Amino acid sequence: MIIAPSLLAADFTRLGQEAKRAERAGADWLHLDIMDGQFVPNISFGPAVVAAVRPHAKKLFFDVHLMCGQPEILLEPFARAGADEIIVHVELGEKVPPLLWKIRSLGKKVGLAINPPTAISAVQPYLGKIDLLLVMTVNPGFGGQEFIHECLPKIQQADAWRRENRLTYRLEVDGGINNQTAAECAHAGADTFVAGTALFQKRNLGAAIRKMRKIVGNHDPGLADLKI
Ligand code: DX5
Ligand code: ZN
């Protein structure tokens, strides 16, 4: 199971130290939310910030979530900035196939995200081409929102398709994830947990990460046989 604190909830005056804090606290990944003010009604940070943070957390896997309307112009800058995985949204429609191809050609892990209102069938054509499916459990744009429980069946469906087709994409959840909702998502088949408020805003980040990992670990849906 993977625990990925979201930098969006960190102290923006100390992002390098916050990334280091996450690494020292035992995080597996660092989730970096990139918002362009168009695809979502908020602006966060860009490739220069990711590049500045990168050397402070050399061991962390950088999971870059592009909530952007024109990710095609951002893939190379974020790849150069130190992204290990780049996630784009299925809501971008016909842009998706070339985007996935380009991320792969840059040598990065390929992630596809789906928003709460979008039917899970939208991602079916891509399941064999991705390393990670991100099922959003809030409408993207802001941290600290309430978990949307109606997204749970989408996680179950994505997990079922993974098993039926013997695919090995990771199943990530993001938005309103705390110990309670993480357990529900793990039970539904999720294996990768993004949390901002529930982790970064804790004084003892290490204890919070260990607690969440313990809770979701009890629901391990037998990932061993999926070899991921
Ligand atoms: C929302 C972002 C999430 C967010 C999670 O648009 O994609 O990653 O930072 O924050 P919490 O865990 O506070 O809901
Ligand atoms: Zn995110």
Side-chain angles (χ1 to χ4, degrees):
M1 301 298 227
I2 295 283
I3 305 295
S6 169
L7 197 66
L8 193 71
D11 177 347
F12 269 38
T13 67
R14 317 162 11 92
L15 287 176
Q17 297 99 310
E18 289 280 77
K20 193 181 294 291
R21 180 162 80 101
E23 184 174 74
R24 288 185 173 153
D28 300 292
W29 292 4
L30 186 66
H31 185 79
L32 298 118
D33 287 308
I34 313 303
M35 302 177 181
D36 67 355
Q38 295 197 351
F39 188 79
V40 292
N42 195 5
I43 293 178
S44 58
F45 42 80
V49 171
V50 174
V53 167
R54 179 74 267 184
H56 293 270
K58 291 193 176 73
K59 292 200 282 292
L60 278 186
F61 182 92
F62 273 26
D63 181 40
V64 173
H65 178 192
L66 296 185
M67 289 161 275
C68 304
Q70 284 188 287
E72 60 274 17
I73 64 173
L74 297 169
L75 299 182
E76 290 191 33
F78 279 106
R80 277 198 303 276
D84 294 296
E85 177 169 79
I86 300 177
I87 303 169
V88 293
H89 271 260
V90 72
E91 289 82 12
L92 291 168
E94 66 210 18
K95 282 187 175 185
V96 170
L99 285 169
L100 302 185
W101 182 89
K102 179 72 177 169
I103 297 169
R104 184 73 72 201
S105 72
L106 288 166
K108 302 303 175 185
K109 292 289 186 188
V110 177
L112 184 64
I114 181 170
N115 285 333
T118 307
I120 191 69
S121 55
V123 301
Q124 265 186 301
Y126 306 110
L127 294 178
K129 300 183 174 70
I130 58 176
D131 300 299
L132 174 134
L133 177 65
L134 166 51
V135 178
M136 291 301 293
T137 45
V138 295
N139 288 300
F142 299 90
Q145 300 179 77
E146 280 300 303
F147 180 84
I148 300 174
H149 283 83
E150 289 75 11
C151 297
L152 285 168
K154 294 168 75 174
I155 301 165
Q156 288 168 322
Q157 180 62 76
D159 183 43
W161 282 335
R162 180 167 61 176
R163 294 174 181 283
E164 286 156 20
N165 299 292
R166 301 200 62 72
L167 296 171
T168 58
Y169 52 84
R170 297 202 72 90
L171 195 39
E172 186 175 56
V173 288
D174 179 10
I177 299 297
N178 55 37
N179 289 336
Q180 170 56 39
T181 56
E184 294 176 57
C185 290
H187 192 67
D191 50 66
T192 305
F193 303 86
V194 174
T197 308
L199 292 178
F200 259 120
Q201 303 205 349
K202 293 285 188 314
R203 275 183 54 74
N204 189 334
L205 179 54
I209 288 172
R210 285 191 295 276
K211 179 102 189 288
M212 187 174 282
R213 183 176 282 123
K214 185 165 184 294
I215 285 171
V216 299
N218 298 338
H219 294 269
D220 187 338
L223 287 182
D225 64 351
L226 282 174
K227 299 185 194 47
I228 53 176

